[in-house]
Amino acid sequence: MRYRRPLLALTALATLAACGGGADAANDGDGGNPVKGGTLRIAFWDDAQGCIDPNQVYWIESRSLNRQFADSLTDQDPETGKIVPWLAESWEVNDDATSYTFKLRDDVTFSDGTKFDAAAVKTAYDATHALGAKSLLGLTYTAGYKSTEVVDDYTVKVDFDQPNSAFLQASSTTTLAILSPETYRQTPEERCTGDNLVGTGAFTLDSYTAATEAKLSRRDGYAWPSELIENQGDAYLDAIEVSYIKEDSVRVGSLTSGAIDIAWPRLPISEADQKVIEATGAGIESRSLPGISSSYFPNVGAGKPLADVKVRQALQKSIDRKSYASTVFWDGYPVVSGPFDNTTPYATDSSGVLAYDPEGAKALLDEAGWTAGADGYRAKDGEPLTLTIPAQNTTPGDQLVQDQLKQVGIKVELNVLTLAQYQAAAADGDYDLLATYYTRADPSVLGSVLDSGVSQAGTAQLSQDPATKKEISGLFAEGLQDVAEDKRAGTYADLQKLILEQGVMFPLYERVQTAGVASKVHGFAWTSEAFLRANDIWISQ
Amino acid sequence: MSVDLAPELGTRVVPEVAAGQRSPRRLGLLTARPGLILALLFVGFVLVSAVVPGWFTRYDPNATAGPDKLLAPSAEHWFGTDELGRDLFSRVLHGSTLTIQATLGAIVIAVVVGLTLGVVSGFFGGWPDSVLMRVVDVLLAIPRLLLALTIVTALGFGTLPIAVAVGVGIVPGFARITRARVLSIKALPYIEAARTGGASWTRVLVRHILPNSWGPVLVLAVLDFGVAILAISALSFLGFGAAPPAAEWGTLISQGRSYLITSPWLTLLPGLFVGLTVFSLNHISRSLEELQR
């Protein structure tokens, strides 16, 4: 049963409601003293965005690379969610969260030799905000951004038009990483190619070819990691080489044959593959990705079946999330318990509302006038109860949900589309349910999907009736105004309750990042947002 | 998965045999060929199970059962269960329905269009012949799978688009064979006799040429049935097949490939099923060809 160990650890963390899993469990301690040298070969699954500029990237895997060559003002503790100093030594936030003053370290340089100072931060933040919709994440991270003011060489003041209490966490993300002022002379498109991206990180980006490969090498003289990193000096690795392998079995095979050192897929490594990996002595690392749990978002437009709140509530009760977790993933896989994954600060446990209750769902559907027909599916006035879900490729999980909803009489049509068709369907609201998620260790991230006041996305504009829209927008705004921890917690608790009761989103499963790590790799660590932290990694020779 | 057979080569000329000798020889050949009987039985089983899969399995092909996932083949589940606990044998049989439908669709398209093109160009000759045959040349020059992929991307996903895509790909073979046949028959004395006797060209075409061109086309149809199954499976393997949860054979093979090391039956058994079906069809078509001699 050796292969279950990290999973059990994960379950335990979930039970403790801790934000756990920071340091590596499998490979620590038994490797002796760290040695310098060696190349770490990582294989990701894909790179659909094809951009490596930290300020523009939303693609999870690219953010793992961003973290290696670009540092941020602050860092976030994966265990507690607490923000700690990094390139900023200290900071002050005013009472209504409209002004942040950061005192910067004075011993930091970019890898091109430029000094890191207040002017560099101003250039970076102004440029990131100027990206606008080009940076899906930056758009909400810098919501209400007014200006950055250079107070003195090593002090900056970031001002907002409206409160943004999530900004301190945002300052720890790769999205608000600080690049060299020289870098921002290029256009956003040029920055995407990664040709001249210069950061202050422990590695430098040597080359990047979208969806093909990336090469990073160690930067000598690195001396400013955050306190969360054990190794306070140069990284141990000489270089990091990244390849992209789409086929699960090939990626796993590459790991077990020793062609790569870390296999890093998007969906959790299957139970079967974990057995194969562990049989070669390699380990499995895992951590729940903070942010929005993998969910469906409804289209409540007039004439759509989900316009009726009773149908949405019935749908909420018809999904058997426990069985989803144990079937699609494995026994002991954390069951989703709310709109957020459990490593997200302020996530509440809403298992009650999300409990599987097919009888309750049937009763609600009867009340709503959808009666069961001879073929087992429900209909009203001759119209069958059919929900269309567009997808680019269907996973076993989609088909499981399809079968679960069939049990209560809801017919699900999985509409397999090409990328272009899919984007058109999502934009035109040509769907009943749309799946999406985002990763950020702050609950305000849900605003980019659901806040109709901020986002023009279909998931925000189509998922709520006007009254609910107003209420939800209000709560998101309030969440960004609250500076006091407990007040913020209260606001987000109300928001989560409202969202689930109104059926504005249908959480499906907890997203867990897993990585297969070869036995010769030591010191593996996660960032708070479940990205790779390579400073402590070393390879036994 | 090669679908580029050169069907013309094996079946070009069918020597005429005196009609009276045929029947007893056919029966004798059939009993002397246990392989052919097995092949016929298997193809018969596949066809019947495609029409009424419920006769052979009591499992719902789409009913998931989490606790029973990835079970190895057993008396209870002949082909084991997939990653959602669905009975794989039932899914293969229900998958037959879709695959056979698509294949039949493709073959019907190919036979009707191919026969028409072949007869027209062989019978009329001249510029219609030149134009049609150059079109056929172009179609033959494009790899079938690529052609099918292009068509299916344009038409959208699903069973019917796949049938059209594959059907268009095998039209040229039929057109060529039919044309060659028509050309050789057209020169035979009985056609001349019919014309001299006052029969119109239409009558000659319908009464004499068409019935005598069937033979090779029928053999090719059986042979191409196997080719079409492979092509359709290839397309559904690549994800262009019927909407989920329905599963064509190729989809089943594709879905199981992540479990090739730990649960090999998920890919191997549907793969074996497809392989046996195509092998049987090839065997039948080869025997038909020999029987015609």
Side-chain angles (χ1 to χ4, degrees), chain A residues 523-536:
Chain A
F524 182 94
W526 301 104
T527 71
S528 168
E529 299 192 311
F531 305 143
L532 177 69
R533 173 103 74 192
N535 300 55
D536 288 333

Side-chain angles (χ1 to χ4, degrees), chain A residues 336-359:
Chain A
V336 66
S337 60
F340 299 108
D341 289 338
N342 67 42
T343 44
T344 322
Y346 310 113
T348 54
D349 184 348
S350 317
S351 325
V353 191
L354 299 183
Y356 180 52
D357 177 14
E359 294 314 314

